[in-house]
Amino acid sequence: MKTITLVLLILVSMMGRNALSQSDNIIWDETPEQRKERMSWWTHDRFGMFIHWGIYALPARHEWVKQFERMTNEEYQKYFDNFNPDLYDPAEWARMAKDAGMKYVVLTAKHHDGFCLFESEYTDYHAGNTPYGKDLIREYVDAFRAEGLGVGFYYSLIDWHHPHFTIDRVHPQRTTSREEYERMNRGRDMSVYREYMKNQVRELLTNYGRIDIIWLDYSYPGEFGKGREDWGSVELLKMVRELQPHILVNDRLDLKEYRDGWDFTTPEQFKVQSWPEIDGEKIPWETCQTFSGSWGYYRDEHTWKDKKQLLVLLIESVSKGGNLLLNVGPTARGTIDYRAQEALGWMGDWMKYNSRSIYGCTQAPEEFEAPEHSILTYNPETNRLYIHLIDYPITNYRLPGMRGRVKYAQFLHDASELLITEPYGHHRQGDIATEDDLNLRLPVTRPNVEIPVIELILYD
Ligand code: GLC
């Protein structure tokens, strides 16, 4: 009998260990309510700027150029030797971000090529040793803080420069057979690299004051790949949390099974169908997107998204309860390319008059059906519903099921009243509105706004 109980106990405890659930806290102690509170500024702000900047701005053909073209460290060295962003003015970047309506920013302190924008004690491979000759991160942090934006770092887990980072399937010197990998990795020791990462992340999180977000990027477990064991993800994240307890962390440390192993999920260049869920629970999410195909400055890339696509990205993200992190890739002189400036301008023009449908907003309650060709967002604090007119209708606009719900209706951009009327027009083939519907009379002329927004003030 005793033996059976013992075996059962062992089995139960083993099951507990293997079947990690989203409720397991292994990294730190925090209740779901505390997490929600910690993330509340980010959930409110909805819109941030991603900045991919490094010596890959010189070749100007993707931040993965070293990998794509299988360059060795020696071949890549010319970009380090010629890095001198003489026009770097982060105050100007910060103004552009703010004018675009962005509320926080994340800059690549180190990308996969291993180059550090910050002066690190643990490597010579940093901005201080390029012709530019100084740390670029200090000024960045100060400039964005001065504009009142939340400040974040991206730090690449991958490092194609560090001598102890083992060659794997995404490395510039990737190979094909196990024997070859073994041969090439002789003498490389990931534990040395793990220590290096910890030291650098510690530098970033102690030398620059309060940091609001950290992006640790990325994992690719499996054969010739790397995951949480390789990065020492649990240890690393514990340290991050200890150094900056309020910080927000993305989900690419390969700790997805642990609910306290990440704060938000990060669909990349991907438009989600609906609010992402785990075990039926809606989870915080942020899509990161480029203006064109690459993150780093890419001179000859021509697939730039247009004004409407970019605005829809933002509106749609909020309509599904998410955030948008929109990327710029500054040039090797430190400037923001004219095309990116133009696109930021579009966002700003729209946000100046319509940000009320973005900040503090989320998915509309299910009872509200989106009218034709529109996207809804909703502010639970103010109980206002926002209808984004993706295609502008003609005169009569039917709001399904809204009769008796709307106290007042106006355009958001100019606060001009929209009349709630019976459908207007001669020779009508029956009413367009049913008993439950409401009809708004819109002006025939589309307002001078890329995507006009109707603001509905609802009855409580
Ligand atoms: C990917 C890419 C990288 C980019 C990032 C942004 O992980 O490797 O180049 O920095 O996504 O989300």
Side-chain angles (χ1 to χ4, degrees):
M1 191 59 197
K2 257 192 189 154
T3 334
I4 294 176
T5 322
L6 195 65
V7 169
L8 270 177
L9 271 175
I10 291 171
L11 270 177
V12 166
S13 80
M14 275 172 63
M15 273 166 61
R17 204 171 315 140
N18 291 335
L20 280 168
S21 88
Q22 286 289 311
S23 57
D24 281 317
N25 273 1
I26 57 149
I27 290 152
W28 72 331
D29 227 3
E30 187 187 45
T31 63
E33 293 68 40
Q34 287 167 329
R35 183 192 317 128
K36 203 167 168 197
E37 178 55 32
R38 180 167 54 82
M39 298 186 67
S40 59
W41 69 268
W42 179 88
T43 315
H44 174 273
D45 287 351
R46 292 298 184 210
F47 188 26
M49 176 184 265
F50 217 170
I51 307 178
H52 276 69
W53 197 40
I55 56 176
Y56 44 75
L58 281 90
R61 47 182 194 274
H62 207 284
E63 77 284 355
W64 275 56
V65 62
K66 187 178 187 188
Q67 200 269 12
F68 289 170
E69 300 178 15
R70 294 176 178 261
M71 288 186 212
T72 60
N73 284 348
E74 293 67 39
E75 286 162 338
Y76 199 69
Q77 185 60 26
K78 59 186 172 197
Y79 305 126
F80 183 92
D81 294 340
N82 287 295
F83 184 65
N84 193 1
D86 58 327
L87 299 178
Y88 176 50
D89 179 5
E92 196 181 9
W93 295 4
R95 261 193 313 275
M96 285 182 202
K98 191 174 182 185
D99 290 349
M102 292 156 161
K103 292 282 198 183
Y104 58 94
V105 61
V106 179
L107 168 68
T108 51
K110 180 190 93 166
H111 204 262
H112 306 338
D113 63 2
F115 174 72
C116 301
L117 296 184
F118 60 108
E119 287 191 306
S120 168
E121 258 185 57
Y122 302 94
T123 182
D124 292 333
Y125 202 52
H126 64 68
N129 293 323
T130 65
Y132 187 70
K134 53 181 185 208
D135 183 288
L136 292 154
I137 293 285
R138 171 88 276 151
E139 285 176 65
Y140 151 78
V141 172
D142 293 347
F144 279 83
R145 278 264 174 266
E147 288 290 354
L149 279 87
V151 171
F153 294 139
Y154 169 110
Y155 180 85
S156 173
L157 300 167
I158 301 171
D159 195 313
W160 299 327
H161 179 267
H162 197 281
H164 283 287
F165 185 91
T166 52
I167 292 163
D168 57 32
R169 67 175 138 90
V170 301
H171 195 276
Q173 275 72 58
R174 62 199 169 280
T175 179
T176 42
S177 71
R178 181 164 295 280
E179 296 71 46
E180 268 299 288
Y181 276 115
E182 274 168 13
R183 188 187 62 75
M184 294 173 88
N185 284 329
R186 223 161 279 146
R188 289 181 185 244
D189 180 354
M190 276 299 282
S191 72
V192 177
Y193 176 68
R194 271 196 293 281
E195 205 45 43
Y196 173 75
M197 276 205 296
K198 259 181 102 173
N199 286 332
Q200 287 207 320
V201 171
R202 190 181 307 106
E203 281 182 318
L204 285 169
L205 298 186
T206 43
N207 296 346
Y208 301 96
R210 184 185 168 101
I211 299 303
D212 301 294
I213 302 176
I214 190 160
W215 264 70
L216 297 161
D217 196 38
Y218 68 82
S219 302
Y220 42 106
E223 205 177 11
F224 312 126
K226 286 187 173 67
R228 56 182 174 238
E229 300 300 324
D230 304 280
W231 314 130
S233 294
V234 170
E235 285 309 302
L236 189 61
L237 189 51
K238 274 188 181 156
M239 186 189 76
V240 166
R241 299 281 194 211
E242 269 156 31
L243 292 172
Q244 304 252 1
H246 55 271
I247 206 165
L248 266 59
V249 187
N250 70 331
D251 67 337
R252 297 188 180 175
L253 272 167
D254 187 25
L255 293 175
K256 219 44 196 290
E257 293 96 321
Y258 306 83
R259 190 54 193 94
D260 64 346
W262 52 279
D263 287 321
F264 58 94
T265 192
T266 55
E268 176 177 326
Q269 306 276 46
F270 179 77
K271 217 155 124 168
V272 300
Q273 287 304 308
S274 58
W275 190 330
E277 296 183 0
I278 293 186
D279 299 338
E281 189 204 329
K282 292 188 165 62
I283 57 174
W285 68 278
E286 171 187 73
T287 181
C288 48
Q289 300 272 349
T290 55
F291 286 139
S292 69
S294 149
W295 299 90
Y297 177 61
Y298 197 136
R299 185 190 56 211
D300 304 329
E301 223 289 334
H302 296 301
T303 59
W304 288 69
K305 298 177 182 76
D306 72 14
K307 195 194 281 190
K308 190 165 175 183
Q309 285 172 307
L310 292 170
L311 289 171
V312 167
L313 258 178
L314 174 62
I315 297 162
E316 226 184 298
S317 301
V318 179
S319 80
K320 292 168 181 167
N323 287 25
L324 172 65
L325 190 63
L326 198 50
N327 181 75
V328 296
T331 69
R333 302 242 3 229
T335 54
I336 297 197
D337 170 83
Y338 68 99
R339 292 161 293 189
Q341 277 198 41
E342 188 183 22
L344 288 171
W346 297 332
M347 304 309 283
D349 289 346
W350 189 85
M351 284 294 277
K352 178 165 183 199
Y353 299 104
N354 296 289
S355 63
R356 216 146 79 198
S357 74
I358 300 296
Y359 303 141
C361 289
T362 187
Q363 182 165 300
E366 263 168 38
E367 67 209 73
F368 297 116
E369 185 186 326
E372 208 171 35
H373 306 305
S374 77
I375 301 178
L376 297 181
T377 64
Y378 173 73
N379 187 322
E381 289 287 311
T382 60
N383 192 28
R384 293 184 182 199
L385 187 69
Y386 296 96
I387 307 174
H388 301 80
L389 302 172
I390 304 304
D391 284 324
Y392 193 72
I394 295 178
T395 315
N396 293 308
Y397 196 51
R398 188 172 69 91
L399 312 184
M402 292 293 287
R403 193 170 288 253
R405 311 283 317 250
V406 181
K407 218 193 294 185
Y408 188 74
Q410 59 185 2
F411 271 136
L412 181 54
H413 67 278
D414 66 354
S416 62
E417 183 180 15
L418 293 170
L419 292 174
I420 299 171
T421 63
E422 286 310 307
Y424 171 85
H426 298 295
H427 305 291
R428 302 203 312 252
Q429 300 296 309
D431 277 336
I432 59 157
T434 70
E435 272 184 15
D436 295 336
D437 300 341
L438 201 68
N439 187 69
L440 284 187
R441 186 181 303 166
L442 302 186
V444 175
T445 311
R446 183 166 82 91
N448 185 26
V449 175
E450 181 66 32
I451 298 181
V453 184
I454 297 171
E455 183 176 49
L456 298 181
I457 300 173
L458 303 176
Y459 286 113
D460 292 333

